[in-house]
Every structure is written in C-alpha cells, then in structure tokens.
C-alpha cells in the first residue's frame, strides 16, 4: 500500500506511522527523520531546516520535495510506503501527484488522524526529554518519571524543548490549520481520505487505523 498520514502535531503520527509501516511491511518515510539527520550532522540543509523548525514554521517546499523524491526512489519503497510529514501543503500534494504519475503509480489512502486541539496542546506541552538521550521521553501527566526532572533510564536531566512550549505549539497548530489541513479536502476530492480518531491507547488507534485501511482497500 501507498499511504499518506496526516493529522495535527501531537496526534501521534510518528508512533502510528512506525507501527503501521511494520504491520503492513512497507517503509516508513519520515521527512522529520531526514531533517533531524541533517541537523545532527550540521549540514547547510540541516541548519536551514532547524531555523524554521525552532520557530515552529515549516521547512520550504523545495527542500522537502527533493528529500521525499530521493527517498521514494530507494528499492525498499518499490512496492509501497507510508509518508509521514509529506505532503504538508497543497503544493506539495500536487508535486507528489506529479511524481507518482511519472512512475505510473498512485496512492491507496490518506489516513487522517483526528484529535481535539486542547488534547494536542496538552500532549506536546507536557513532554519532557532527557538531555543525555533524546529517545527517553516522559510526560508530566501521562508518563511521569519516578523523580521529577530526572530520567528513569539514565539519570539525565529532563527538559522541555523550545518547540514544545505551549506558545510554540499553538503557533504550530495555526500553521497546520492554514497550510496542511487543506490537503485533506484536496485528497477528499480524489476519494482517498480515511479519517479515524487519534484518541485512546496506542494499540487501539493502530487497530482502528488498520481496520479502516482494510475497508478502504477492500472497497477498491
């Protein structure tokens, strides 16, 4: 299957993308991962991407499109993929359509994860990351450390990233509503959108998504 995953920041797209890609045996193509790799290597692209991401803005289309095109051309994506973070606006969606048309392939579904705005803000603004290992993530409400401000795994200091601050989260949501949300209508016109609730346990959301995608696939 060839799937685009959409939804507001904090809807759990990254978690669900990883799980769904594994269940469906297709690669998870995350532009966020590509940006982070460049940032960690301090490439020129990484420095540029970081300046936009830190401000809660989107990385310019030409950068994102080039990254996505290169990744989708890799051998492991020949029989399908799950796109997470691309396209992020109608221009990118149109560019993706052009890329796929050139390769004589098409999307099977656009999975839209819905979550109330207040819940999204609560999820993101409450995150705390370990300074020693950023893969260690806690939450002031949902996943509290045993000792406040201290990582349970390695004892590192827990902190709130700048782009997780509530003001920045609300700015990111404004950007999402203005720039990204319109692609849902764009894809609805093509009959591709499958909408599910992103609320509930992770396993519940994954099961909900798989069932919705199966119905979509069976209906074609």
């Amino acid at each position: 299957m060839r799937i685009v995953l959409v939804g507001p920041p904090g809807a759990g797209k990254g978690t669900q993308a990883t799980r769904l890609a594994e269940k469906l045996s297709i690669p998870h193509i995350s532009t966020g991962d590509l940006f982070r790799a460049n940032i960690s290597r301090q490439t020129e692209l990484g420095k540029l991407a970081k300046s936009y991401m830190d401000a809660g803005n989107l990385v310019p289309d030409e950068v994102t499109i080039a990254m996505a095109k290169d990744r989708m051309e890799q051998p492991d994506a020949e029989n399908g993929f799950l796109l997470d973070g691309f396209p992020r606006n109608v221009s990118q969606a149109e560019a993706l359509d052009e890329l796929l048309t050139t390769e004589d392939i098409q999307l099977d579904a656009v999975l839209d994860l819905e979550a109330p705005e207040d819940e999204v803000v609560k999820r993101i603004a409450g995150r705390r990351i370990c300074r020693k290992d950023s893969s260690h993530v806690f939450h002031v409400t949902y996943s509290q450390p045993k000792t406040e401000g201290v990582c349970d795994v390695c004892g590192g200091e827990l902190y709130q990233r700048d782009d997780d601050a509530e003001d920045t989260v609300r700015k990111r949501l404004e950007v999402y509503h203005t720039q990204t949300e319109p692609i849902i209508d764009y894809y609805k016109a093509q009959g591709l959108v499958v909408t599910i609730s992103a609320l509930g346990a992770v396993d519940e959301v994954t099961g909900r998504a798989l069932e919705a995608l199966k119905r979509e696939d069976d209906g074609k």
Side-chain angles (χ1 to χ4, degrees), residues 36-98:
R36 283 187 285 273
N38 279 275
I39 289 170
S40 68
R41 296 196 301 268
Q42 295 189 345
T43 65
E44 290 304 311
L45 174 62
K47 293 174 184 177
L48 178 61
K50 189 175 188 302
S51 69
Y52 284 90
M53 294 166 70
D54 284 350
N57 294 321
L58 300 178
V59 175
D61 283 357
E62 58 270 23
V63 176
T64 307
I65 292 168
M67 283 183 171
K69 180 178 185 296
D70 179 69
R71 182 62 184 88
M72 286 188 293
E73 289 175 346
Q74 300 303 310
D76 66 336
E78 182 176 352
N79 295 318
F81 49 75
L82 189 152
L83 293 175
D84 169 21
F86 175 82
R88 283 190 171 177
N89 55 46
V90 172
S91 294
Q92 290 183 5
E94 292 171 344
L96 176 60
D97 279 350
E98 291 180 12

Side-chain angles (χ1 to χ4, degrees), residues 8-12 115-128 139-142 160 163-174 177 199:
E117 186 160 313
D118 286 346
E119 174 63 20
V120 165
V121 173
K122 184 178 179 181
R123 285 183 180 185
I124 299 177
R127 281 195 303 222
R128 297 297 182 268
H139 195 280
V140 297
T141 302
Y142 303 123
Q160 182 186 55
D163 60 347
D164 285 348
E166 183 172 339
D167 288 348
T168 304
V169 173
R170 293 195 180 279
K171 183 175 181 180
R172 289 166 62 191
L173 284 167
E174 289 178 10
H177 292 314
L199 299 181

Side-chain angles (χ1 to χ4, degrees), residues 12-32:
K13 293 189 301 298
T15 298
Q16 293 303 325
T18 300
R19 294 166 66 90
L20 292 171
E22 181 178 353
K23 295 283 188 183
L24 297 170
S25 299
I26 54 177
H28 168 206
I29 300 177
S30 167
T31 51

